[in-house]
Amino acid sequence: MRRKITTGLLFLIPVLVLVLMHTTGIQNKPVDGGNYEYYEWESLEGIASVPVTVMPAYTEFPGISELLAELETGIKTAKDEVLQILAKEENALGYYSNLILANRSEKEGKDASEYYRTALELYYTEEIHFKLAEHLLKNGKLSEAEKEYLLLLPNEKALDVLMAMKTAPEKICEAYASQKEWEALRKFLTMVFENNPAENDNITLMKYYAQALFEQGDYKSALPFYKKLYGLDNSDQSIAWLYARCMEAVGQTSAAVKLYSVMGEKGAYRLGLILQKQGKALEAADAFAGSNEAVSLWHAARIWDNAGMIEKALETYTRIASIASMYQDDAAYRAYILSKRLGNDDVDKFLDVLSFHPAWMDRIGEKPVMPELTELNYHVPEYLKQAEIYEAEGFLDAAAIEVAIGSKTTTLEEKLALGDWYLKRGQYYNAILWGIRSLSEQPTRRGYELAYPQLFEKYVIKEAEKYKLDPALIWAVIREESHFRYDAVSKAGAIGLMQIMPATGKDIASRMGLSITDNDLFKPEINIMLGAFYINSMMNMFNGDIDKALAAYNGGPGNVKKWLESGLMTSEEDFPTAISFSETQEYVTKVRNAYFIYKWLYK
């Protein structure tokens, strides 16, 4: 059984039992329900030099119900020495035992911090974190308490305590910034400046305040702060860039261009974007090329490509293809196409990148390279079995904690078992994640089945047959749109499995003679019905071209038509590069990759 009692005892128990049987005639009796027997020894020469925990002749270990009962009532359920053993376990019993020992220590006026810390390492909750911080404060460990309260920000209760402790505002700002809690940081500093006007000249606080405004997109309010900071130190390129970005955002374009121009590589990308908007394409390309960022180089390459400066574009695409980034595969594809057009067959370096992407291999007429799958036998790990017992007994929180602790470190087999565990419970997103994690170690069939499931099969097959679509395409779209989360909502407001915008959903429904509400989009049957209708519409609009249909599904059909009129379009193989939205460009390839995997996996 995983992680039982202590490694020393595990090693000794079988040996000790044999000694008992042959020397004293005492037989070890098995005990059900998590009870174990211990015997006291004076010496065992030649067997092992491992320290043995000395316990009474018979010790009964409490179960989860007893531990939870003590946490709720405070009535003791086991001796301290028994809980000390359980507290070393990396499971739910160990977690609750540490909490009980912390409670007992608190009542007895002893240091409970290590029990709280161990519990938090096993399973984090803000409630226990607060108990640790409060305990440290109560016992006069002020620096340790301050550290914990800083980690508890942006919780307002933690801020109140820190203010009462007179914690330096710089520390609080650093804590907010490290967690990207920009609104909370802005509110805090507004309060500081109002209560203590002298702090207005604090350069460190000014930087934090300006950053909070900038990160929230309030460039106009941030501008005077960055102007002052730049005036104090114009050698700080980070401040210079932020100052220029604020000027650019509020329309002070000429001043921004001037500042970006003297910043070298740091300002190259933003300078290029401004020049491009001004219609100065070739100047913009030169500016973009002054950066080593893949996104900036991509812009430069596309401008030269569009202008017919093929060799210069190819050189830059080749450079991008050697940089690990979201543009690497797109650049390798374009470099491959341009190399072939120029009669250059030295394309192996591009194939090395493209071979990992079935969609790109198909586009260049090469057979996709798919992994050889292995069948792997695996067993359900003990912590999942124990979690099922807790579930059956109604201890759902204990079950969740057992799984959370057990899954912190996992073997390949455990990853697959965890995927099955979540799939069985309808938690498809988690099942897919564990499948993906397993594939990072070894390509197994079960790993791929978890990562690329055929869920909601009845609805998918029904709609695929209605529109004569390949069901693999619908599954691929669902996987990349929502990872099969029927309740998914994007930042833009797209809803459900196929991420349909409410307005689009209602429009499609009306064309089908239906009336729906926004909440109907959370229903798998309706969401798949509307999504399949839209895919079919885009396939019809673009003559069955999957790339164009997917680009329209994500970026809109109007944009696809615009991209088709781009100067880059000399043949159909140019379309992926002509897509100017990076999100749509990445989306099309992700869905196409998933589509090929579905067809290969379930052929």
Side-chain angles (χ1 to χ4, degrees):
M1 181 174 285
R2 196 171 185 261
R3 305 183 179 111
K4 273 295 174 189
I5 313 304
T6 63
T7 303
L9 288 176
L10 271 175
F11 177 79
L12 285 175
I13 285 174
V15 179
L16 300 184
V17 170
L18 289 173
V19 174
L20 275 171
M21 292 175 64
H22 291 287
T23 60
T24 68
I26 299 175
Q27 294 188 356
N28 184 27
K29 300 176 183 179
V31 181
D32 295 330
N35 301 328
Y36 300 85
E37 294 187 357
Y38 288 81
Y39 296 88
E40 188 174 343
W41 301 91
E42 292 183 0
S43 65
L44 287 172
E45 293 183 7
I47 294 180
S49 57
V50 180
V52 179
T53 301
V54 178
M55 294 292 292
Y58 179 83
T59 299
E60 182 174 351
F61 282 78
I64 204 76
S65 58
E66 289 85 358
L67 296 182
L68 290 172
E70 176 165 348
L71 284 171
E72 184 176 343
T73 66
I75 301 172
K76 286 192 174 184
T77 57
K79 294 182 179 180
D80 281 357
E81 55 264 35
V82 173
L83 291 179
Q84 290 284 0
I85 295 173
L86 284 180
K88 293 181 173 61
E89 297 295 290
E90 295 181 19
N91 54 28
L93 289 174
Y95 173 75
Y96 289 126
S97 295
N98 275 286
L99 293 185
I100 291 172
L101 288 168
N103 288 346
R104 291 183 182 181
S105 296
E106 290 254 33
K107 289 178 181 178
E108 295 168 7
K110 298 178 182 177
D111 183 8
S113 60
E114 286 312 305
Y115 296 124
Y116 282 130
R117 291 186 194 280
T118 302
L120 288 168
E121 288 173 7
L122 290 172
Y123 185 76
Y124 180 87
T125 67
E126 189 175 71
E127 178 187 2
I128 303 305
H129 198 168
F130 262 109
K131 286 188 175 183
L132 169 62
E134 289 163 0
H135 175 74
L136 292 169
L137 183 61
K138 178 182 174 183
N139 287 274
K141 298 182 177 182
L142 301 185
S143 62
E144 290 183 55
E146 181 183 73
K147 179 181 177 182
E148 300 303 331
Y149 280 116
L150 286 168
L151 292 173
L152 281 161
L153 291 173
N155 188 291
E156 290 186 8
K157 180 182 173 183
L159 178 60
D160 290 342
V161 176
L162 289 166
M163 295 292 287
M165 294 176 70
K166 300 188 182 304
T167 298
E170 290 85 354
K171 288 185 178 181
I172 295 175
C173 289
E174 182 182 2
Y176 279 132
S178 66
Q179 298 179 59
K180 302 187 186 305
E181 292 288 345
W182 306 116
E183 175 59 16
L185 174 57
R186 184 193 65 78
K187 286 182 177 180
F188 168 70
L189 283 174
T190 298
M191 177 185 66
V192 170
F193 294 146
E194 288 176 352
N195 293 338
N196 189 0
E199 293 286 19
N200 281 282
D201 294 325
N202 185 317
I203 300 302
T204 300
L205 297 187
M206 190 187 302
K207 285 181 179 180
Y208 278 121
Y209 190 67
Q211 184 181 12
L213 294 169
F214 180 90
E215 295 291 349
Q216 292 183 285
D218 190 355
Y219 303 113
K220 184 177 180 180
S221 298
L223 180 59
F225 291 98
Y226 282 119
K227 181 177 181 180
K228 184 173 182 178
L229 290 167
Y230 181 71
L232 292 169
D233 182 7
N234 60 16
S235 66
D236 187 330
Q237 285 225 329
S238 294
I239 294 297
W241 188 91
L242 291 164
Y243 178 35
R245 185 70 184 88
C246 287
M247 288 192 291
E248 178 191 348
V250 301
Q252 298 179 22
T253 309
S254 297
V257 166
K258 184 177 179 181
L259 191 49
Y260 285 136
S261 297
V262 298
M263 291 173 62
E265 183 181 338
K266 180 84 174 173
Y269 178 59
R270 296 306 309 181
L271 176 60
L273 289 178
I274 293 174
L275 293 171
Q276 193 173 33
K277 285 180 183 177
Q278 293 175 341
K280 303 173 182 178
L282 294 180
E283 288 182 51
D286 289 337
F288 284 130
S291 170
N292 283 319
E293 293 182 61
V295 60
S296 191
L297 295 171
W298 175 257
H299 277 71
R302 288 184 81 255
I303 291 172
W304 287 323
D305 198 349
N306 193 51
M309 302 168 67
I310 305 302
E311 292 187 356
K312 201 164 187 177
L314 174 57
E315 180 183 348
T316 308
Y317 285 129
T318 301
R319 183 178 168 191
I320 302 166
S322 67
I323 302 171
S325 73
M326 64 177 286
Y327 296 94
Q328 184 176 32
D329 53 327
D330 300 77
Y333 169 78
R334 192 59 179 169
Y336 177 93
I337 295 298
L338 295 183
S339 293
K340 287 290 188 179
R341 286 182 186 173
L342 293 173
N344 180 5
D345 290 327
D346 182 21
V347 293
D348 287 349
K349 57 181 173 291
F350 307 129
L351 287 174
D352 287 342
V353 174
L354 299 177
S355 63
F356 292 101
H357 305 274
W360 290 119
M361 294 296 281
D362 180 70
R363 287 173 182 139
I364 63 176
E366 295 282 344
K367 186 176 180 180
V369 179
M370 308 305 286
E372 290 188 15
L373 299 182
T374 59
E375 299 285 354
L376 185 66
N377 294 321
Y378 56 95
H379 302 287
V380 176
E382 291 299 321
Y383 59 85
L384 289 183
K385 292 179 183 178
Q386 186 62 59
E388 288 182 347
I389 293 172
Y390 291 152
E391 283 184 338
E393 294 174 346
F395 302 122
L396 301 185
D397 287 345
I401 291 170
E402 189 78 16
V403 175
I405 294 172
S407 60
K408 283 185 176 180
T409 57
T410 54
T411 63
L412 171 61
E413 291 81 0
E414 285 179 300
K415 289 180 175 67
L416 297 173
L418 280 160
D420 289 336
W421 164 273
Y422 285 112
L423 187 63
K424 179 181 176 182
R425 284 155 179 75
Q427 298 181 37
Y428 303 135
Y429 181 78
N430 286 330
I432 290 170
L433 288 185
W434 282 109
I436 292 171
R437 288 166 183 164
S438 78
L439 294 178
S440 68
E441 292 191 31
Q442 184 178 326
T444 64
R445 174 162 293 279
R446 187 57 187 152
Y448 267 101
E449 289 170 348
L450 288 167
Y452 296 85
Q454 292 180 309
L455 300 171
F456 306 104
E457 185 173 11
K458 179 173 69 173
Y459 305 138
V460 170
I461 296 299
K462 176 185 174 182
E463 300 305 323
E465 290 178 349
K466 182 192 299 183
Y467 298 114
K468 295 182 172 54
L469 293 171
D470 189 336
L473 180 59
I474 299 176
W475 272 312
V477 170
I478 294 173
R479 183 189 187 275
E480 298 310 319
E481 288 285 2
S482 67
H483 272 39
F484 291 90
R485 287 185 59 178
Y486 68 86
D487 59 348
V489 179
S490 74
K491 290 181 180 179
I495 294 173
L497 291 170
M498 301 188 75
Q499 289 292 277
I500 298 171
M501 294 296 291
T504 302
K506 289 173 183 175
D507 177 60
I508 295 171
S510 67
R511 283 190 267 168
M512 299 176 74
L514 302 172
S515 177
I516 65 167
T517 66
D518 291 358
N519 284 337
D520 286 329
L521 293 173
F522 290 110
K523 300 174 182 177
E525 181 177 10
I526 292 176
N527 197 284
I528 292 171
M529 176 181 67
L530 300 178
F533 177 95
Y534 194 60
I535 290 176
N536 183 60
S537 298
M538 296 302 99
M539 290 286 281
N540 290 336
M541 183 180 293
F542 296 105
N543 302 315
D545 188 304
I546 292 179
D547 275 352
K548 296 184 182 70
L550 291 174
Y553 190 93
N554 179 265
N559 285 313
V560 172
K561 291 174 182 177
K562 184 172 66 176
W563 295 327
L564 288 172
E565 296 170 358
S566 162
L568 285 168
M569 287 296 298
T570 59
S571 69
E572 290 300 307
E573 64 186 5
D574 295 320
F575 179 70
T577 307
I579 300 172
S580 61
F581 295 170
S582 59
E583 177 190 331
T584 300
Q585 196 170 52
E586 187 177 14
Y587 173 85
V588 171
T589 296
K590 278 185 174 181
V591 176
R592 278 287 299 272
N593 282 336
Y595 174 60
F596 274 106
I597 290 172
Y598 270 106
K599 290 180 72 65
W600 157 73
L601 185 61
Y602 298 105
K603 59 188 176 183

